Amino acid sequence: MSVSCQTIEKDHQLAKQSTGLDAGQVIRWRSWHRWTAICLLAYIYLAVAVAVQRQQDAGSDLDAGLIPITVPELLRLVRDIVIPPPRRDRPHRLRWSAWRRRHQHRARQVHLRWNAYAETTP
């Protein structure tokens, strides 16, 4: 009995980590319920996709020497398709730095103007 409980707990922890269930910050019951439902549906999708992929891999000899695909590995593959790798070339980093510093300067100016206005009003 304890082995199955440990397996359930490990699966639950994996579901929380891979779908962001542990990262939600909600206050109300309705928003928590929606967040939980979306995260669990995402995990169900990943688990079914892994099961289908394992069935396809079982019929082929291409995966010799590999462990079966796991949910975190499939999630990594999906993220690599959807989210492009970051650009690390020097001109891009310099443009990004200039944009960020320009934005911070504008934010600081607005903040200083707001504080000056707030101090003068009764």
Side-chain angles (χ1 to χ4, degrees):
M1 183 70 176
S2 65
V3 173
S4 64
C5 289
Q6 289 174 348
T7 305
I8 291 170
E9 182 60 29
K10 278 199 311 189
D11 286 346
H12 182 63
Q13 289 299 324
L14 178 63
K16 285 185 354 183
Q17 291 170 357
S18 31
T19 60
L21 186 58
D22 57 347
Q25 296 180 0
V26 293
I27 322 174
R28 308 246 184 245
W29 166 256
R30 186 172 286 173
S31 58
W32 177 84
H33 192 264
R34 288 176 184 160
W35 177 255
T36 304
I38 289 171
C39 289
L40 292 178
L41 283 173
Y43 187 74
I44 289 168
Y45 173 79
L46 289 170
V48 169
V50 163
V52 168
Q53 187 63 41
R54 284 183 179 180
Q55 283 181 347
Q56 289 176 355
D57 289 347
S60 69
D61 291 334
L62 297 176
D63 64 338
L66 300 175
I67 65 168
I69 192 160
T70 60
V71 170
E73 181 63 23
L74 180 65
L75 186 59
R76 239 178 260 111
L77 291 172
V78 170
R79 283 184 181 154
D80 286 345
I81 292 169
V82 175
I83 302 171
R87 292 181 55 186
R88 301 198 189 285
D89 57 310
R90 183 172 169 76
H92 178 77
R93 286 190 319 226
L94 292 175
R95 281 193 310 272
W96 173 248
S97 175
W99 178 87
R100 186 176 58 240
R101 290 183 298 143
R102 191 176 315 111
H103 174 73
Q104 289 171 344
H105 175 72
R106 278 185 265 162
R108 181 179 292 141
Q109 295 302 316
V110 168
H111 182 73
L112 291 174
R113 273 187 261 146
W114 171 253
N115 283 340
Y117 170 76
E119 289 175 1
T120 60
T121 57

